[in-house]
Amino acid sequence: MAPIPDQRPPSAPRRERPLVLLIEDNVTQLDLYSMVIEEELSLLTATRGETGYALACSEKPDVIVVDVLLPDVDGLTVCQRLRANPQTSSIPIVVLTGDDAAHDRAQRVASQFSGVLTKPCPAELLLSTLRSAIEARGPVRRRGCLIGGERIWIPSIKVSL
């Protein structure tokens, strides 16, 4: 059996649509949620908390979905680190869990999240929660690009015609 890759490349084109980072260790659920999300959003995935945290710091997604029970680091610990980091503190986080005790722990700190969802989560509920989190973040997003080896931040504004 081939090893499961820890990270999948983003869907293309990446920044024409809002970017979601999905941190989920269950490959079946990862595939299911990926198919649902990629219908209307761009996606990065990680199967480990440390990899997910690193991707969040480097890619600055528009919203992060984190499973509470991860093999290397507890998902709530990942969320705590994301909130403590000035680069990721304003990114909306949606927590997923199928474990009752983990769900109870997440509910106790639910004010830090854009949603706490129970697995298996219906596709429309997941998408509506992601849409709401992205809309609540506001129309102006900071996008970075490398110019001469230096990261330059460029504001992006949604315009409706």
Side-chain angles (χ1 to χ4, degrees):
M1 178 180 217
I4 299 167
D6 187 40
Q7 171 186 340
R8 294 183 184 177
S11 58
R14 243 186 66 204
R15 287 298 192 178
E16 290 182 12
R17 302 184 301 173
L19 179 62
V20 175
L21 170 58
L22 173 61
I23 307 170
E24 167 65 67
D25 64 317
N26 182 301
V27 178
T28 302
Q29 291 180 354
L30 181 74
D31 288 342
L32 175 67
Y33 295 138
S34 293
M35 286 187 331
V36 169
I37 293 168
E38 286 182 311
E39 288 180 11
E40 64 181 77
L41 303 166
S42 294
L43 181 67
L44 281 172
T45 64
T47 58
R48 303 181 73 68
E50 288 297 334
T51 304
Y53 178 78
L55 281 171
C57 292
S58 66
E59 298 299 319
K60 316 282 186 303
D62 296 289
V63 64
I64 302 169
V65 181
V66 180
D67 181 14
V68 174
L69 300 177
L70 295 169
D72 60 339
V73 179
D74 180 85
L76 294 179
T77 300
V78 173
C79 293
Q80 184 178 35
R81 289 177 60 199
L82 290 166
R83 287 290 173 250
N85 183 335
Q87 293 182 335
T88 58
S89 63
S90 65
I91 299 173
I93 299 173
V94 175
V95 174
L96 280 173
T97 185
D99 180 78
D100 290 336
H103 187 271
D104 291 343
R105 286 187 350 211
Q107 283 296 119
R108 285 195 294 273
V109 291
S111 64
Q112 298 177 21
F113 308 124
S114 296
V116 177
L117 304 175
T118 303
K119 294 192 292 186
C121 179
E124 189 51 44
L125 177 59
L126 177 60
L127 280 175
S128 67
T129 302
L130 293 175
R131 285 185 210 113
S132 295
I134 291 165
E135 288 173 17
R137 189 168 187 202
V140 177
R141 293 194 347 229
R142 293 166 52 92
R143 297 176 192 257
C145 62
L146 289 176
I147 299 177
E150 183 178 339
R151 185 162 288 253
I152 307 295
W153 293 105
I154 304 166
S156 173
I157 301 171
K158 285 185 187 174
V159 178
S160 298
L161 300 177

